[in-house]
Amino acid sequence: MTACAVETAGPTEFTVTADGAYAARLALGEGTGDAWFPERWTLDGPEPYAVPLPLDQPEEPDTRVLPLADGRVLVCRRVADRHDLSLLYPTGPGTGQLPVGSVPGPGLTLLPPSPDGRRAYALSAGARSTTVWLVAGGAFGPERVAEVPGRCAGGVWLDRTGRILALDRETDGVVKAVAVDLARGGEATPLLQITEESNDRLLLADPDSGLLLIRSDAPGHDRLGWGVLGSRRPVRFPECLRPADRAVTPFAVQPGQVLMPESCAVALRIDGPAGSWVGVWRPAGRRLHEWPAPRGWLAGAGLWTREGVLRLPYATDTVRCGVASLHAPADVPVPTGVPAPMDVPVPVDLPLPADVQAPVDVPVPVGRPHQGGVLGTAHPDRTESADREPSGAPRTPALCRPVPLQQAPLTGRGAPG
């Protein structure tokens, strides 16, 4: 299962493990007013259920929680000029607490659950560099594992081993996604560079299919786009993903679609004047399906099964732990001749060292090669007919480091074989 943690800290956060077995959030105790406590959800059984993990003192609203694959919940609390970390677990009628250690500094951001589920990482941004901390799963408490030049935010895992982490790095006022190799002390490689001036952020990545969800202002203003990891084909910015007067944010990608990025269903949170609801979109379908959210939906949270069922967690006054299921709707084929979304070129090669085997094969969609214009320049008025959309037929490219678009050759850019 593939899921994404909500980025907002505090009681609205609902985080799911990479395998979809557990989740955690802060919840209000019944009859306790504003007393917050951690709550663990079990999602891989016949029915979901929640286990409260209260301690003697209630939690502060800015406490952050992260579930591990063994069922324990990591809790990060700010205390003065440091962050204290502990692991919570149920012990019969009570809650056990295992202190992990502390990380100094005013700011610490928990990263999404690691793919193996045994470790937890966090970011601490300084004036000139950002530290990646291993805050759970190490041998001796919190450990510095990487120092990345620049101020970084975000955090998306690019592989199934927890080695390659994508971060959005700000340099001279411009944000670019970079790939950080944690096995090499944080060696950073450019991942997204649409234009020199554009802000290119990575929102989600699915290692099975190679599908990337990207937000960039290269088209002239912030747009949601998609690309394929390891492909030299352009990023696309579908018109259907920018509905008027609504904000669209992806939060989960259907896993298990190996070498078929265009077939992946993507779950989106849609925010408008009437509230928040659910959207489902596939690259191949080029259509945004919109559905009402279940009552009490923990907005922006959910996970896909491999079979294409979207599971949406919700909590109400009568149901403390519920999961609603939504089957991904089928897409009606788009007739030939209907304009396709705009293309913007971007290199998105997985920056693994040459001596390291890639965790999965990365696909290259078959399609018309780039013609005309300067690579690295957005073309807001360019369209492509439906029959020229990438077919999804894969080839496995040779792994190489991304080449900045301004240095890429203008001809002979065939997919590596």
Side-chain angles (χ1 to χ4, degrees):
M1 300 181 183
T2 298
C4 178
V6 182
E7 294 183 358
T8 306
T12 59
E13 185 178 73
F14 186 88
T15 310
V16 186
T17 56
D19 63 1
Y22 293 103
R25 67 167 186 147
L26 282 187
L28 279 174
E30 295 183 8
T32 61
D34 58 354
W36 297 96
F37 63 89
E39 184 178 74
R40 186 195 72 187
W41 290 35
T42 300
L43 302 175
D44 61 348
E47 296 289 338
Y49 65 92
V51 176
L53 298 172
L55 296 170
D56 295 336
Q57 296 290 329
E59 303 290 346
E60 295 294 329
D62 62 352
T63 296
R64 284 147 293 165
V65 295
L66 189 93
L68 300 182
D70 61 7
R72 295 181 295 176
V73 175
L74 177 70
V75 177
C76 179
R77 308 179 181 97
R78 181 169 180 175
V79 181
D81 59 350
R82 71 179 191 275
H83 290 80
D84 290 346
L85 298 126
S86 299
L87 290 169
L88 304 185
Y89 52 93
T91 58
T95 301
Q97 180 173 215
L98 177 65
V100 175
S102 299
V103 174
L108 187 72
T109 304
L110 293 181
L111 289 170
S114 65
D116 64 11
R118 302 188 306 271
R119 296 168 291 177
Y121 294 87
L123 289 182
S124 177
R128 298 182 179 178
S129 65
T130 300
T131 303
V132 181
W133 290 85
L134 175 63
V135 294
F140 306 104
E143 305 172 14
R144 296 174 184 259
V145 295
E147 194 79 17
V148 183
R151 191 171 184 86
C152 298
V156 177
W157 295 104
L158 295 181
D159 63 351
R160 291 294 187 192
T161 66
R163 172 175 176 174
I164 306 296
L165 174 69
L167 296 174
D168 298 327
R169 180 171 65 181
E170 181 180 354
T171 305
D172 298 328
V174 178
V175 178
K176 301 289 185 185
V178 297
V180 177
D181 190 337
L182 299 183
R184 293 197 169 190
E187 181 179 88
T189 306
L191 183 67
L192 296 176
Q193 185 167 317
I194 299 180
T195 72
E196 289 186 358
E197 299 82 12
S198 60
N199 295 291
D200 310 319
R201 295 176 171 88
L202 181 63
L203 304 182
L204 287 178
D206 176 54
D208 293 336
S209 63
L211 181 65
L212 303 178
L213 277 300
I214 297 159
R215 190 174 297 281
S216 174
D217 58 6
H221 49 85
D222 257 359
R223 292 279 298 271
L224 184 62
W226 68 279
V228 180
L229 194 66
S231 171
R232 295 182 182 270
R233 300 301 305 148
V235 167
R236 298 177 186 275
F237 294 91
E239 288 293 329
C240 67
L241 295 185
R242 62 163 188 168
D245 301 322
R246 286 174 282 173
V248 178
T249 306
F251 63 86
V253 180
Q254 180 186 0
Q257 308 302 298
V258 179
L259 302 181
M260 295 190 298
E262 295 180 25
S263 300
C264 288
V266 178
L268 306 113
R269 170 179 172 170
I270 304 175
D271 295 293
S276 300
W277 60 98
V278 182
V280 175
W281 166 84
R282 292 185 185 88
R286 302 189 301 157
R287 176 185 176 187
L288 177 61
H289 304 269
E290 301 183 40
W291 300 86
R295 180 172 173 267
W297 178 43
L298 304 176
L303 63 157
W304 287 100
T305 67
R306 291 175 176 267
E307 294 74 28
V309 178
L310 178 61
R311 307 184 70 200
L312 301 170
Y314 65 92
T316 66
D317 293 337
T318 56
V319 181
R320 294 289 296 177
C321 173
V323 175
S325 295
L326 170 66
H327 291 265
D331 288 308
V332 178
V334 178
T336 300
V338 175
M342 176 186 64
D343 291 344
V344 177
V346 54
V348 283
D349 291 320
L350 181 63
L352 286 175
D355 57 345
V356 176
Q357 183 178 1
V360 295
D361 290 332
V362 285
V364 174
V366 174
R368 173 172 60 86
H370 174 84
Q371 296 177 3
V374 177
L375 292 176
T377 303
H379 299 275
D381 58 346
R382 192 172 71 192
T383 60
E384 194 172 35
S385 63
D387 59 347
R388 294 298 186 97
E389 287 283 310
S391 68
R395 293 177 61 197
T396 303
L399 292 174
C400 58
R401 296 189 182 279
V403 177
L405 285 172
Q406 290 74 8
Q407 301 175 17
L410 294 181
T411 59
R413 289 192 66 207

